[in-house]
Amino acid sequence: MTKKQKKVLYRIIIAAVLLAAFMLAPIEEKRIRFVLFLIPYAVIGYDILRKAVLGIVHGEVFDENFLMAVATIGAICLGDYAEGVAVMLFYQIGELFQSYAVGKSRKNISALMDIRPDYANIENDGKLEQVDPDDVETGTVIVVQPGEKVPIDGVVTEGKSTLNTSALTGESVPREVQEGDEIISGCVNLSGLLKIRTTKEFGESTVSKILDLVENSSMKKSRSENFITRFAKYYTPAVCYSALALAVLPTVINLIMGNSAEFGKWIERALTFLVISCPCALVISIPLSFFGGIGGASARGILVKGSSYLELLSQSKYIVFDKTGTLTEGVFKVTDIRPQNMEERELLYYAAYAESYSTHPISKSLKEAYAEKIDNTRVTDVEEISGHGVSAMVDGHQVYAGNGKLMKRIEIQADMPEKAGTVIHVAVDGRYAGYILISDVIKKNSKAAIQGLKEAGVKKTVMLTGDAKKVADSVAAELGVDEVHSELLPADKVEKIEELIAMKGAKEKLAFVGDGINDAPALTRADLGIAIGAGTDIAIESADIVLMKGDLLDVSTAIQLSKSVIRNIKQNLFWAFIYNIIGIPVAAGLFYLPFGLKLNPMIGAFAMSFSSVFVVSNALRLRWFKAKHTSHENTDMEFRQENDKKENKGASQMEKVLNIEGMVCMNCVKHVEKALRELAGISEVTVSLAEKSARIQLNGDVSDAMLKEAVEDAGYQLISIQ
């Protein structure tokens, strides 16, 4: 609890004790009772009375403070001292619960505010000088000591350390940084001293943009919030005028009919009507749920720019993805090596050395896969053949490395890979040596994220990419994406989104998920833009939701959370309206004559307070929201298991290695692989031309004789089985 909340709690306790004591005290004198009950009333209600007066002064008369003031003062004037105090007491209890709930939800959001840096260190004549981050120019070298916040985005020029990024990403695992690494503002330096060359001004840094996002998120209200605001604007005056009519009209009618006026009775009913009609639960039902949802999202590294976007997210039935950098790593790596008449390492050696002088990303991928220092003295006569590849002398051997066109140019027959990707064919001394496949690696959680979206009720997942059709189709098939469009320019992506928007239902929304760099037009055009990546400028500016951890699983997490928020709102509204539908007629006395039912102000205040407490407690449940498929440890394990399935035997499977003679090319490999796959009881087959072997996984009863027969029928000789 905050100091303010604790103060209210103490007031509630003191007022409750005094109220109970004075109710039990045998005091009959009205004046003395009046003075005594004014003490707990002043203790518990002075702030409400003050707000009511200020509201009248500023022209904002009809609010819950005015209702409480009129109801309690009216009860006291009628001699119901205990009831007047009790009404205010129950109201304050409800307000305390509401304040506590808001504070808990705000805690996750306000934690972001702690990332605001107070200063930046600049080194002058060997001494550190603290300056305002706004005064630091781009390109300035700043010093961040252990325990300090990184004030401005930049690149590490000196030092090595670990950074706490939890305030930005929600991740508790520290990030290792060293010279040359880019770091963003808002992180906390945990260990070593860092020198950072700033790449942005403070106002353009990540921390500033995020803080601006959070501070302005409440301005973008949902349609539901706006409706309740408009409703309350008319509801409260209507309640006040109805209470006045309830107090006056029956009395006037009684006088006209010659009956007793019963003014006191109808005043009491009017006061009870005022109390029970207080729109507290109704007014807070929607904003508190949205606030809890935004706070819960922030704790998970999901920044939502306003409640309206949570509402749109809950209605999203079409999720469109960019491929490169979103579904895939956006970094090309060697994914397959298929040598002929040499070992894999030897093939990679020739390719890496031939490409050693090139700065092309493909060349970089080859050198990274080789992972050894390249001795350039071994390479001579390097020639880049535009659009084809390179030729070079490596250790005295003539090496060609490039695409299929290069192999045709030198009149060498090359194998065609089955998998999609960029193929580097290698020829050594006029003979085909094999190929190396380079492809964009799929992110470890992409497949689980697509599955999670389908489980969350998404109707269709779509992938848009500028890559070739074969590559795009391969990635989409592996991930389980429903629809794919390839070979698109940025403008083409927007057109495809327009087409999809035209096809969807009126109440269905389309969300686009991109990396926030080259996808700004698509992020802006979609009903909802979701940016992947930790705080890039375009991500924060163009998207409606930013996933700070860059984890695709957070897309399904956000959708599930948004739907929980909407369910929570519906539950709160149901309770608030049912409470009013039942309570208001009883308070007005409509059920007194037929059923003898009536309420006094104290019971009405208790019912009103209970309604607020229920709504608040229900909204608080969002703090413990848990999404499916969000355990990073589990998904990492699943990813590894899935990738290793083809290579490692499972607990319930048996592995055998077949040594085979007669295989001389990749076609031979295909023949053997096909023959073995046709046998029932074999789950996986991996044939190696270099090792002259086939590794198989058995999930059924397959005899050695059956294996031998299958290999020999294919035209090859089975030497042994291990």
Side-chain angles (χ1 to χ4, degrees), residues 485-506:
H485 301 277
S486 55
E487 301 177 0
L488 302 175
L489 297 173
D492 299 329
K493 291 182 181 180
V494 177
E495 289 182 8
K496 285 295 178 184
I497 289 175
E498 295 276 6
E499 293 175 8
L500 291 167
I501 289 175
M503 293 171 56
K504 66 180 179 64

Side-chain angles (χ1 to χ4, degrees), residues 204 209 305 536-543 546:
E204 296 298 316
K209 291 182 177 293
K305 291 187 178 181
T536 59
D537 289 345
I538 304 245
I540 293 176
E541 293 171 4
S542 302
V546 182

Side-chain angles (χ1 to χ4, degrees), residues 663-689:
M663 296 189 297
V664 295
C665 64
M666 290 304 298
N667 285 328
C668 300
V669 171
K670 294 176 184 177
H671 291 156
V672 173
E673 187 174 305
K674 183 181 178 183
L676 292 172
R677 286 188 182 278
E678 289 178 350
L679 291 175
I682 296 179
S683 59
E684 296 291 341
V685 179
T686 303
V687 181
S688 172
L689 181 63

Side-chain angles (χ1 to χ4, degrees), residues 22 27-39 81:
F22 296 154
I27 302 173
E28 300 294 334
E29 180 64 36
K30 283 190 176 182
R31 292 181 181 179
I32 297 177
R33 287 179 62 84
F34 173 75
V35 173
L36 289 175
F37 278 99
L38 277 183
I39 298 173
Y81 309 133

Side-chain angles (χ1 to χ4, degrees), residues 433-454:
Y435 68 83
I436 299 171
L437 190 68
I438 297 175
S439 55
D440 193 0
V441 180
I442 294 174
K443 287 184 177 180
K444 62 186 178 183
N445 289 333
S446 293
K447 189 172 183 179
I450 297 297
Q451 183 61 36
L453 289 173
K454 293 179 179 180

